[in-house]
Amino acid sequence: MQNSNTQDSSEGFFYNLSEVKQHIIALAVLFLVPFILFSATTIGGKEFQRHDITQWRAGAESVIEYRETFGEEPLWVENMYMGMPAYVVSIVKSVPHLDDLYRVFYSIYPAFPYWIMLTGMYFLLILMGFKPLTAVLGSLLYSLTTYFPIIIGAGHTSKFAALAYAPWVLAGYWKLTHSKNKLAGLLLFCVAMALEVRAGHPQITYYFMYLIGFLWISDSWKLIKEKELKQFGIITALLFIGGIIGILGHARSFLTLQEYSQFSIRGGSALDGSSGLSTSYAFAWSQGIKESLTLFVPEIFGGASPTYFGPKSVTSGPHYLGAITLPFLLMALFKQRGRTMFVFFGTGTLALIFSWGENFALINELAFNIIPFFDKFRAPETWLVLTAFCYSIVALYGLAWFFEFLKNKSASLKELYLPLGVTVLIFAFVLVQVKTMNYTKPGEIENIANQIAQQNNVSPNNPQVRQRAISYVDQNFVPEREEGANKDLFRFGLFIVFSGVIIWLTLKQKISVTIASMGLILVTAIDMISVGKRYVPEHVIVNANVSPERYIETQKRDIDQYIMDNIYSDNGEYEYRVFPLMDGAFSNAVPSYFYPTIGGYTGAKLSIVADLQANGGPLFKGNAGLNLDLLGALNIKYITYQQGLSIPGLTPVFNGSSGTVYRNEKLLPKAFFVDSLVTVSTPNEAFDFVEQPNVDYSSIAVVETTEALSTSSDSTSKAEVTEYTGAEMTLTLNRSKPGFLVLSEIYYPAGWVATLNGNEIPIYKTNFVLRGLEIPAGDHTLKLEFKPKSYSIGVTLSWVSLGLQTLIALLFGLNYFKRKKLGES
C-alpha cells in the first residue's frame, strides 16, 4: 500500500501533530501497555514462576556447576538422560550481540521482550505505509493474542524471544525491498536475522521464513513483470547475503544443533529408518478444524484444561485474535485488491491449515513428507502464531481501506453491507454451534465409565455404567463448559457491536479518524487483555526473590537427601545414577537437580534414549516390569517408588514420607571389562539383544560394528575412574591380555574423542546406548573428552558474522554522514 502517513485536518487532532510527535505518542502507548499489564513484575517486585524455567534450571544443574567450578563451558550435560550435549539445554553465548541487553533487562521480564516486539511491529507497519494509530492497533492485535500470556506463564522464553524479534526481521525485509536505501535495509535485515536465530527457537524462525519466502515470490513476480530485472537481482542477492550473515551470527548453535538433530528424536529413529519425528508424535496437539472458531470465541471449546473439551489431549488455552479483527479482515478481503495483502492472508490461511495437523491429514501428511524440515517440529497448533501475525496485518489493510473510503464524499454504508453482513452470518454460525454442540470431550464418557466399572467390578459396557458416566459428565462438566461458551459468544457479539458503532459514527462524521482509531485501540486492549489474563494462573506470579533454584530446593524430600548422601562411589570420585520411577522420570528434570538420573526433561532427547525408555521398551522387560540387569549396566544404583515394591534384586534401603528408595543389587560400575562380545550390524539387532531379560552385562556386551572385535576373561584386570566431570573422563586401566571395556556413558558419536596413552582410539556403540572400547594388554591411561568440531567452527563463523555486521554498520554510518554533508553543502 502507498504511504498514507500524511497530515489531513479532517482526520482529527492527532494527525495535525508533526510526524515526530505522532510517533512519540504512539510508542509511549506501546510502552505503557506491557508496563501496566505486567505491573506486578515491572514495579510490584514479583516475577513469573514458570514450569519450563524450573525444568530447565533443574536439567542445567551439572552445566552450571561445571561453569562455576572451572570457569568454562562443559558442552555436556551429565545429570540427565545419562548425558547429552549441553547446547541443547544451557550454554553461554560466546559471541556478543545486541541480545545481551535481553539478559541485562531480564529482571523486568516479560515487559522488555514485549517492548522489543511492539516497537518492531510498529516500525514494520509504519514502513508498510500504515498511519501511526493504525500501526498501534496492529501492534496490539498481534502482541495481545492469548498465546503470549500462555507461553510466558509456561516459561517458553526462547519462543517468546523469537516471536519478539520476528517483526524486526520482516521490517528488515521490507526496508531492503521497498526503499531506496538498500544498505540500511541490509543492515537491519542481517542484524534482525542474527537476533532471531540467536533466540534459539528454530521452529518459530522456520514459520516466519514461509512469510518472507511468499513475500519475496510476490515482489519478484512484480519486478519481473515490470522488467526490473536488475532491481530483482540486487534485492535477491542482498536478501541472500543478509540472510546468510544473519544465520551465521548463531552458527555456533546452528551447526551443533543441526549435527545433534540427526541423533535426536527430531532426526527419527534408527530402528525404523525414519529421518524425522513420527507423524503421531509430530501431530500431537493438532488444532481441531472447528476449534479454529476459538480465534474469535476463545472458550467455545472450554478454554484451558480441565474445562477444555476439544480434540487435543490437554491445552493451556486458545489462540484468541480479538473480536474486532473479524470485520476489518473481511473488509480487506472484499474491498482491498492489493497483492501484498493477499500474500499475508494466504500465508496466514496456509498456517491455519498446517495447524490442523492430523485433523487435515490430506494436506499435512503430504507437507510432512515433502517439505524440507517440516517433519522436525511438533505441536501443529503453534502454526497459529503465524496466522495471528498475518491476519492482524490483513485486518489493518481493511481498516486502512475504511479510512480511505471515508474521504469519498459519496461514501455510503451500502459499501459495507457485504463485509458487515458476512460478519453477522459468521456470528449466526457460531451461535448455532454454541447452541447445538456436544460439550463432552472425545473419549471422556468412556474413561469415566471404565473408572466406575473398576470401582464396582463390572463391565464398562454395562448400560447402567455408561448411563452413570453420561450423567456424571452432564452434571459436573457440561454446565460450566456451556456457560463459558455462551458468555464468550455474548462477548463476541458485544465487541462486534462496539466496532460497528465506531464504524457507523465515523462514516456519519460524528467522530474523527483519530477518535475512531483510539476507540478501536481501547476496545482491542480491553477485549484481549481481559481474555489473556484468564490464562495466567495466579500461582505463577511469585515474589521476585523466589529464584528457580530456591523453588527447586523447596521440592527436596527426605528420599532425595538420602540418595544425595549415598550416591557417591566408595572412593568418592564419581556418582552413580538414579531411576526416579515415581516422579515421571522421562518428563521431569527436578530429580536431576539433586543427582544424576536416567530421565529428565527436554523436547529433543537422543533417539536411542527415547527408544530405550519407550513404553514396553527394554527398560521394562523383566521381572515385574523392570529390567534390573540393563538398569545395572546403565549405572542405576537407586530406584524411587512407592513403598511395597517387591522385585527380586531390589532392596528397600530407605522409607521416606514421600516414597521409598530401593537399591539395585545388579548395579555395575561406571567402567567394567566384559568376557565376551556379540557383534551385530544393525541397531535393531542390538535393540533385540538388550530387550532380553536376565542378561549378565558384567560378562557380555553387544556391539554394533562390522569390525572383528575380541575380548577375553581376565580376573586380574582393573578399570578405575580417576577423573569424572561428565565432559571429561579419565581412567587408569590394567589388563594382562587384550579386552573390551564398557563405559556406562551414553553413546554420542559427534564430538567424543578417546585417547589411550595419548593416541586416539575408536569408540563403539555398545549395549545399544553405551560406549565401548578395545583395550590392549598392559597399563594404560584412557581419557575421553567432548570436543565437537561443529562447536569450534560455529564460534569462528559467528565472529565472522559479527564482523560483517559491524562492517555494514560502519559503511551505513559513513554513507549517512556523507549524504548529510552533501545535503548541507
Side-chain angles (χ1 to χ4, degrees), residues 2 63 140 160 217 222-223 235 242 245 256 304 364 373 392 416 420 438-439 462 529 570 594 652 655 732 743 762 774:
Q2 297 296 316
V63 176
L140 294 177
F160 189 30
I217 291 172
K222 179 176 181 293
L223 291 172
I235 287 175
I245 292 174
T256 52
N364 287 306
F373 305 111
S392 296
L416 302 177
L420 295 183
N438 182 0
Y439 288 92
N462 185 305
I529 289 174
D570 293 338
F594 302 111
N655 289 318
T732 57
L743 300 179
E774 270 195 308

PDB file of all heavy atoms in Angstrom, residues 2 63 140 160 217 222-223 235 242 245 256 304 364 373 392 416 420 438-439 462 529 570 594 652 655 732 743 762 774:
ATOM      1  N   GLN A   2       0.338   2.340  -0.485  1.00  0.00           N
ATOM      2  CA  GLN A   2       1.079   3.583  -0.511  1.00  0.00           C
ATOM      3  C   GLN A   2       1.128   4.191   0.880  1.00  0.00           C
ATOM      4  O   GLN A   2       0.211   4.039   1.680  1.00  0.00           O
ATOM      5  CB  GLN A   2       0.409   4.577  -1.491  1.00  0.00           C
ATOM      6  CG  GLN A   2       0.409   4.105  -2.937  1.00  0.00           C
ATOM      7  CD  GLN A   2       1.797   3.970  -3.491  1.00  0.00           C
ATOM      8  OE1 GLN A   2       2.647   4.828  -3.286  1.00  0.00           O
ATOM      9  NE2 GLN A   2       2.065   2.886  -4.196  1.00  0.00           N
ATOM     10  N   VAL A  63      25.699 -28.421  34.286  1.00  0.00           N
ATOM     11  CA  VAL A  63      26.365 -27.434  33.424  1.00  0.00           C
ATOM     12  C   VAL A  63      26.748 -26.209  34.237  1.00  0.00           C
ATOM     13  O   VAL A  63      27.880 -25.705  34.164  1.00  0.00           O
ATOM     14  CB  VAL A  63      25.450 -27.028  32.252  1.00  0.00           C
ATOM     15  CG1 VAL A  63      26.109 -25.930  31.424  1.00  0.00           C
ATOM     16  CG2 VAL A  63      25.145 -28.234  31.385  1.00  0.00           C
ATOM     17  N   LEU A 140      -0.883  -4.075  18.806  1.00  0.00           N
ATOM     18  CA  LEU A 140      -1.603  -4.664  19.934  1.00  0.00           C
ATOM     19  C   LEU A 140      -2.354  -5.933  19.520  1.00  0.00           C
ATOM     20  O   LEU A 140      -2.426  -6.898  20.286  1.00  0.00           O
ATOM     21  CB  LEU A 140      -2.579  -3.641  20.526  1.00  0.00           C
ATOM     22  CG  LEU A 140      -1.932  -2.421  21.190  1.00  0.00           C
ATOM     23  CD1 LEU A 140      -3.004  -1.456  21.677  1.00  0.00           C
ATOM     24  CD2 LEU A 140      -1.026  -2.831  22.327  1.00  0.00           C
ATOM     25  N   PHE A 160       9.299 -16.961  23.070  1.00  0.00           N
ATOM     26  CA  PHE A 160       8.841 -15.581  23.190  1.00  0.00           C
ATOM     27  C   PHE A 160       9.843 -14.626  22.559  1.00  0.00           C
ATOM     28  O   PHE A 160       9.470 -13.682  21.853  1.00  0.00           O
ATOM     29  CB  PHE A 160       8.612 -15.255  24.665  1.00  0.00           C
ATOM     30  CG  PHE A 160       7.935 -13.930  24.904  1.00  0.00           C
ATOM     31  CD1 PHE A 160       7.054 -13.402  23.985  1.00  0.00           C
ATOM     32  CD2 PHE A 160       8.168 -13.224  26.076  1.00  0.00           C
ATOM     33  CE1 PHE A 160       6.419 -12.181  24.206  1.00  0.00           C
ATOM     34  CE2 PHE A 160       7.544 -12.014  26.319  1.00  0.00           C
ATOM     35  CZ  PHE A 160       6.667 -11.489  25.378  1.00  0.00           C
ATOM     36  N   ILE A 217       8.515 -14.058  -3.367  1.00  0.00           N
ATOM     37  CA  ILE A 217       7.952 -14.541  -4.636  1.00  0.00           C
ATOM     38  C   ILE A 217       7.024 -13.481  -5.241  1.00  0.00           C
ATOM     39  O   ILE A 217       7.090 -13.189  -6.442  1.00  0.00           O
ATOM     40  CB  ILE A 217       7.183 -15.863  -4.408  1.00  0.00           C
ATOM     41  CG1 ILE A 217       8.168 -16.978  -4.067  1.00  0.00           C
ATOM     42  CG2 ILE A 217       6.373 -16.234  -5.649  1.00  0.00           C
ATOM     43  CD1 ILE A 217       7.502 -18.274  -3.627  1.00  0.00           C
ATOM     44  N   LYS A 222       6.388  -9.223  -9.382  1.00  0.00           N
ATOM     45  CA  LYS A 222       6.065  -7.856  -9.790  1.00  0.00           C
ATOM     46  C   LYS A 222       7.241  -7.223 -10.537  1.00  0.00           C
ATOM     47  O   LYS A 222       7.059  -6.594 -11.597  1.00  0.00           O
ATOM     48  CB  LYS A 222       5.710  -7.025  -8.566  1.00  0.00           C
ATOM     49  CG  LYS A 222       5.377  -5.565  -8.848  1.00  0.00           C
ATOM     50  CD  LYS A 222       4.944  -4.862  -7.582  1.00  0.00           C
ATOM     51  CE  LYS A 222       4.585  -3.399  -7.844  1.00  0.00           C
ATOM     52  NZ  LYS A 222       5.770  -2.597  -8.237  1.00  0.00           N
ATOM     53  N   LEU A 223       8.450  -7.378 -10.006  1.00  0.00           N
ATOM     54  CA  LEU A 223       9.622  -6.795 -10.657  1.00  0.00           C
ATOM     55  C   LEU A 223       9.880  -7.424 -12.016  1.00  0.00           C
ATOM     56  O   LEU A 223      10.236  -6.731 -12.981  1.00  0.00           O
ATOM     57  CB  LEU A 223      10.848  -6.963  -9.761  1.00  0.00           C
ATOM     58  CG  LEU A 223      10.869  -6.129  -8.472  1.00  0.00           C
ATOM     59  CD1 LEU A 223      12.035  -6.531  -7.591  1.00  0.00           C
ATOM     60  CD2 LEU A 223      10.943  -4.641  -8.794  1.00  0.00           C
ATOM     61  N   ILE A 235      18.050  -7.035  -5.204  1.00  0.00           N
ATOM     62  CA  ILE A 235      17.287  -7.346  -3.995  1.00  0.00           C
ATOM     63  C   ILE A 235      17.482  -8.797  -3.588  1.00  0.00           C
ATOM     64  O   ILE A 235      17.721  -9.111  -2.411  1.00  0.00           O
ATOM     65  CB  ILE A 235      15.795  -7.045  -4.227  1.00  0.00           C
ATOM     66  CG1 ILE A 235      15.569  -5.533  -4.258  1.00  0.00           C
ATOM     67  CG2 ILE A 235      14.936  -7.687  -3.127  1.00  0.00           C
ATOM     68  CD1 ILE A 235      14.149  -5.132  -4.612  1.00  0.00           C
ATOM     69  N   GLY A 242      22.274 -11.025   3.287  1.00  0.00           N
ATOM     70  CA  GLY A 242      21.837 -10.660   4.633  1.00  0.00           C
ATOM     71  C   GLY A 242      21.377 -11.865   5.419  1.00  0.00           C
ATOM     72  O   GLY A 242      21.657 -11.983   6.615  1.00  0.00           O
ATOM     73  N   ILE A 245      24.500 -13.934   6.429  1.00  0.00           N
ATOM     74  CA  ILE A 245      25.231 -13.255   7.508  1.00  0.00           C
ATOM     75  C   ILE A 245      24.469 -13.392   8.823  1.00  0.00           C
ATOM     76  O   ILE A 245      25.049 -13.667   9.881  1.00  0.00           O
ATOM     77  CB  ILE A 245      25.458 -11.770   7.169  1.00  0.00           C
ATOM     78  CG1 ILE A 245      26.440 -11.635   5.996  1.00  0.00           C
ATOM     79  CG2 ILE A 245      25.998 -11.004   8.386  1.00  0.00           C
ATOM     80  CD1 ILE A 245      26.605 -10.204   5.504  1.00  0.00           C
ATOM     81  N   THR A 256      25.856 -26.949  15.678  1.00  0.00           N
ATOM     82  CA  THR A 256      25.821 -28.013  16.682  1.00  0.00           C
ATOM     83  C   THR A 256      24.441 -28.663  16.767  1.00  0.00           C
ATOM     84  O   THR A 256      24.327 -29.891  16.869  1.00  0.00           O
ATOM     85  CB  THR A 256      26.218 -27.468  18.068  1.00  0.00           C
ATOM     86  OG1 THR A 256      25.426 -26.310  18.371  1.00  0.00           O
ATOM     87  CG2 THR A 256      27.686 -27.086  18.105  1.00  0.00           C
ATOM     88  N   ALA A 304      -9.011 -23.476  28.641  1.00  0.00           N
ATOM     89  CA  ALA A 304      -7.857 -24.272  29.059  1.00  0.00           C
ATOM     90  C   ALA A 304      -8.321 -25.503  29.830  1.00  0.00           C
ATOM     91  O   ALA A 304      -9.429 -25.549  30.357  1.00  0.00           O
ATOM     92  CB  ALA A 304      -6.926 -23.431  29.937  1.00  0.00           C
ATOM     93  N   ASN A 364      -1.543 -32.113   5.354  1.00  0.00           N
ATOM     94  CA  ASN A 364      -0.438 -32.060   6.306  1.00  0.00           C
ATOM     95  C   ASN A 364       0.504 -33.257   6.216  1.00  0.00           C
ATOM     96  O   ASN A 364       1.706 -33.106   6.425  1.00  0.00           O
ATOM     97  CB  ASN A 364      -0.987 -31.891   7.720  1.00  0.00           C
ATOM     98  CG  ASN A 364      -1.516 -30.486   7.947  1.00  0.00           C
ATOM     99  OD1 ASN A 364      -0.805 -29.510   7.718  1.00  0.00           O
ATOM    100  ND2 ASN A 364      -2.761 -30.364   8.346  1.00  0.00           N
ATOM    101  N   PHE A 373      12.362 -29.983   6.348  1.00  0.00           N
ATOM    102  CA  PHE A 373      12.355 -29.640   7.775  1.00  0.00           C
ATOM    103  C   PHE A 373      10.960 -29.629   8.401  1.00  0.00           C
ATOM    104  O   PHE A 373      10.831 -29.404   9.599  1.00  0.00           O
ATOM    105  CB  PHE A 373      13.039 -28.298   8.036  1.00  0.00           C
ATOM    106  CG  PHE A 373      14.436 -28.213   7.515  1.00  0.00           C
ATOM    107  CD1 PHE A 373      14.748 -27.388   6.434  1.00  0.00           C
ATOM    108  CD2 PHE A 373      15.451 -28.979   8.065  1.00  0.00           C
ATOM    109  CE1 PHE A 373      16.032 -27.322   5.941  1.00  0.00           C
ATOM    110  CE2 PHE A 373      16.733 -28.918   7.571  1.00  0.00           C
ATOM    111  CZ  PHE A 373      17.037 -28.095   6.505  1.00  0.00           C
ATOM    112  N   SER A 392      -3.622 -10.262  11.596  1.00  0.00           N
ATOM    113  CA  SER A 392      -3.618  -8.933  12.210  1.00  0.00           C
ATOM    114  C   SER A 392      -3.287  -7.871  11.168  1.00  0.00           C
ATOM    115  O   SER A 392      -3.923  -6.801  11.129  1.00  0.00           O
ATOM    116  CB  SER A 392      -2.604  -8.881  13.356  1.00  0.00           C
ATOM    117  OG  SER A 392      -2.960  -9.750  14.400  1.00  0.00           O
ATOM    118  N   LEU A 416     -20.452  -1.205   2.793  1.00  0.00           N
ATOM    119  CA  LEU A 416     -20.032  -2.084   3.881  1.00  0.00           C
ATOM    120  C   LEU A 416     -21.000  -3.231   4.128  1.00  0.00           C
ATOM    121  O   LEU A 416     -20.792  -4.038   5.033  1.00  0.00           O
ATOM    122  CB  LEU A 416     -19.879  -1.257   5.175  1.00  0.00           C
ATOM    123  CG  LEU A 416     -18.890  -0.092   5.116  1.00  0.00           C
ATOM    124  CD1 LEU A 416     -18.898   0.668   6.429  1.00  0.00           C
ATOM    125  CD2 LEU A 416     -17.499  -0.577   4.793  1.00  0.00           C
ATOM    126  N   LEU A 420     -19.817  -6.477   6.505  1.00  0.00           N
ATOM    127  CA  LEU A 420     -20.541  -6.492   7.770  1.00  0.00           C
ATOM    128  C   LEU A 420     -21.614  -7.578   7.775  1.00  0.00           C
ATOM    129  O   LEU A 420     -21.886  -8.204   8.806  1.00  0.00           O
ATOM    130  CB  LEU A 420     -21.160  -5.126   8.034  1.00  0.00           C
ATOM    131  CG  LEU A 420     -20.169  -3.968   8.241  1.00  0.00           C
ATOM    132  CD1 LEU A 420     -20.907  -2.680   8.577  1.00  0.00           C
ATOM    133  CD2 LEU A 420     -19.163  -4.303   9.330  1.00  0.00           C
ATOM    134  N   ASN A 438     -21.944 -30.611  21.148  1.00  0.00           N
ATOM    135  CA  ASN A 438     -21.836 -31.575  22.245  1.00  0.00           C
ATOM    136  C   ASN A 438     -20.693 -31.140  23.155  1.00  0.00           C
ATOM    137  O   ASN A 438     -19.548 -31.055  22.722  1.00  0.00           O
ATOM    138  CB  ASN A 438     -21.561 -32.965  21.653  1.00  0.00           C
ATOM    139  CG  ASN A 438     -21.476 -34.039  22.711  1.00  0.00           C
ATOM    140  OD1 ASN A 438     -21.617 -33.767  23.901  1.00  0.00           O
ATOM    141  ND2 ASN A 438     -21.249 -35.260  22.288  1.00  0.00           N
ATOM    142  N   TYR A 439     -20.994 -30.870  24.414  1.00  0.00           N
ATOM    143  CA  TYR A 439     -20.000 -30.320  25.335  1.00  0.00           C
ATOM    144  C   TYR A 439     -19.238 -31.403  26.096  1.00  0.00           C
ATOM    145  O   TYR A 439     -18.843 -31.202  27.237  1.00  0.00           O
ATOM    146  CB  TYR A 439     -20.665 -29.347  26.310  1.00  0.00           C
ATOM    147  CG  TYR A 439     -21.080 -28.051  25.657  1.00  0.00           C
ATOM    148  CD1 TYR A 439     -22.357 -27.899  25.122  1.00  0.00           C
ATOM    149  CD2 TYR A 439     -20.186 -27.001  25.533  1.00  0.00           C
ATOM    150  CE1 TYR A 439     -22.739 -26.715  24.502  1.00  0.00           C
ATOM    151  CE2 TYR A 439     -20.555 -25.813  24.923  1.00  0.00           C
ATOM    152  CZ  TYR A 439     -21.825 -25.681  24.398  1.00  0.00           C
ATOM    153  OH  TYR A 439     -22.192 -24.503  23.779  1.00  0.00           O
ATOM    154  N   ASN A 462     -21.565 -52.210  30.494  1.00  0.00           N
ATOM    155  CA  ASN A 462     -22.843 -52.307  31.183  1.00  0.00           C
ATOM    156  C   ASN A 462     -23.650 -51.016  30.953  1.00  0.00           C
ATOM    157  O   ASN A 462     -23.150 -49.916  31.199  1.00  0.00           O
ATOM    158  CB  ASN A 462     -22.603 -52.518  32.678  1.00  0.00           C
ATOM    159  CG  ASN A 462     -23.891 -52.743  33.448  1.00  0.00           C
ATOM    160  OD1 ASN A 462     -24.809 -51.938  33.392  1.00  0.00           O
ATOM    161  ND2 ASN A 462     -23.930 -53.851  34.189  1.00  0.00           N
ATOM    162  N   ILE A 529      -6.850  -8.051  26.632  1.00  0.00           N
ATOM    163  CA  ILE A 529      -6.200  -8.147  27.944  1.00  0.00           C
ATOM    164  C   ILE A 529      -7.081  -8.938  28.908  1.00  0.00           C
ATOM    165  O   ILE A 529      -6.593  -9.785  29.671  1.00  0.00           O
ATOM    166  CB  ILE A 529      -5.889  -6.744  28.504  1.00  0.00           C
ATOM    167  CG1 ILE A 529      -4.746  -6.098  27.700  1.00  0.00           C
ATOM    168  CG2 ILE A 529      -5.507  -6.826  29.976  1.00  0.00           C
ATOM    169  CD1 ILE A 529      -4.469  -4.655  28.082  1.00  0.00           C
ATOM    170  N   ASP A 570      32.644 -45.622  46.403  1.00  0.00           N
ATOM    171  CA  ASP A 570      33.448 -45.783  47.615  1.00  0.00           C
ATOM    172  C   ASP A 570      34.596 -44.782  47.699  1.00  0.00           C
ATOM    173  O   ASP A 570      34.932 -44.292  48.769  1.00  0.00           O
ATOM    174  CB  ASP A 570      33.992 -47.214  47.686  1.00  0.00           C
ATOM    175  CG  ASP A 570      32.869 -48.227  47.885  1.00  0.00           C
ATOM    176  OD1 ASP A 570      31.801 -47.812  48.371  1.00  0.00           O
ATOM    177  OD2 ASP A 570      33.071 -49.407  47.544  1.00  0.00           O
ATOM    178  N   PHE A 594      19.172 -32.795  41.858  1.00  0.00           N
ATOM    179  CA  PHE A 594      19.781 -33.303  43.083  1.00  0.00           C
ATOM    180  C   PHE A 594      20.798 -34.411  42.829  1.00  0.00           C
ATOM    181  O   PHE A 594      21.748 -34.562  43.584  1.00  0.00           O
ATOM    182  CB  PHE A 594      18.693 -33.811  44.025  1.00  0.00           C
ATOM    183  CG  PHE A 594      17.671 -32.774  44.391  1.00  0.00           C
ATOM    184  CD1 PHE A 594      16.366 -32.864  43.925  1.00  0.00           C
ATOM    185  CD2 PHE A 594      18.019 -31.697  45.190  1.00  0.00           C
ATOM    186  CE1 PHE A 594      15.425 -31.911  44.263  1.00  0.00           C
ATOM    187  CE2 PHE A 594      17.084 -30.728  45.538  1.00  0.00           C
ATOM    188  CZ  PHE A 594      15.784 -30.831  45.067  1.00  0.00           C
ATOM    189  N   PRO A 652      14.735 -52.476  49.486  1.00  0.00           N
ATOM    190  CA  PRO A 652      14.367 -51.183  50.077  1.00  0.00           C
ATOM    191  C   PRO A 652      15.409 -50.761  51.105  1.00  0.00           C
ATOM    192  O   PRO A 652      15.714 -51.523  52.019  1.00  0.00           O
ATOM    193  CB  PRO A 652      13.000 -51.450  50.712  1.00  0.00           C
ATOM    194  CG  PRO A 652      12.941 -52.928  50.915  1.00  0.00           C
ATOM    195  CD  PRO A 652      13.775 -53.547  49.843  1.00  0.00           C
ATOM    196  N   ASN A 655      12.798 -45.775  53.712  1.00  0.00           N
ATOM    197  CA  ASN A 655      11.377 -45.454  53.620  1.00  0.00           C
ATOM    198  C   ASN A 655      11.170 -44.014  54.077  1.00  0.00           C
ATOM    199  O   ASN A 655      11.361 -43.691  55.246  1.00  0.00           O
ATOM    200  CB  ASN A 655      10.538 -46.404  54.478  1.00  0.00           C
ATOM    201  CG  ASN A 655      10.488 -47.802  53.905  1.00  0.00           C
ATOM    202  OD1 ASN A 655      10.347 -47.969  52.694  1.00  0.00           O
ATOM    203  ND2 ASN A 655      10.604 -48.801  54.766  1.00  0.00           N
ATOM    204  N   THR A 732      42.389 -45.200  34.748  1.00  0.00           N
ATOM    205  CA  THR A 732      43.609 -46.000  34.714  1.00  0.00           C
ATOM    206  C   THR A 732      43.191 -47.453  34.534  1.00  0.00           C
ATOM    207  O   THR A 732      42.294 -47.951  35.229  1.00  0.00           O
ATOM    208  CB  THR A 732      44.419 -45.841  36.013  1.00  0.00           C
ATOM    209  OG1 THR A 732      43.590 -46.205  37.126  1.00  0.00           O
ATOM    210  CG2 THR A 732      44.899 -44.421  36.186  1.00  0.00           C
ATOM    211  N   LEU A 743      31.752 -48.581  29.095  1.00  0.00           N
ATOM    212  CA  LEU A 743      31.520 -47.400  29.930  1.00  0.00           C
ATOM    213  C   LEU A 743      30.023 -47.150  29.998  1.00  0.00           C
ATOM    214  O   LEU A 743      29.346 -47.100  28.962  1.00  0.00           O
ATOM    215  CB  LEU A 743      32.211 -46.169  29.335  1.00  0.00           C
ATOM    216  CG  LEU A 743      33.737 -46.239  29.178  1.00  0.00           C
ATOM    217  CD1 LEU A 743      34.251 -44.947  28.556  1.00  0.00           C
ATOM    218  CD2 LEU A 743      34.398 -46.470  30.521  1.00  0.00           C
ATOM    219  N   PRO A 762      39.070 -45.735  18.580  1.00  0.00           N
ATOM    220  CA  PRO A 762      37.636 -45.633  18.276  1.00  0.00           C
ATOM    221  C   PRO A 762      36.757 -45.965  19.471  1.00  0.00           C
ATOM    222  O   PRO A 762      37.140 -46.739  20.357  1.00  0.00           O
ATOM    223  CB  PRO A 762      37.445 -46.642  17.142  1.00  0.00           C
ATOM    224  CG  PRO A 762      38.546 -47.625  17.317  1.00  0.00           C
ATOM    225  CD  PRO A 762      39.713 -46.855  17.859  1.00  0.00           C
ATOM    226  N   GLU A 774      38.123 -51.037  22.696  1.00  0.00           N
ATOM    227  CA  GLU A 774      39.089 -52.137  22.731  1.00  0.00           C
ATOM    228  C   GLU A 774      40.337 -51.679  23.472  1.00  0.00           C
ATOM    229  O   GLU A 774      40.886 -50.605  23.178  1.00  0.00           O
ATOM    230  CB  GLU A 774      39.473 -52.559  21.309  1.00  0.00           C
ATOM    231  CG  GLU A 774      38.605 -53.642  20.730  1.00  0.00           C
ATOM    232  CD  GLU A 774      39.235 -54.264  19.499  1.00  0.00           C
ATOM    233  OE1 GLU A 774      39.602 -53.494  18.589  1.00  0.00           O
ATOM    234  OE2 GLU A 774      39.371 -55.498  19.450  1.00  0.00           O
TER     235      GLU A 774
END
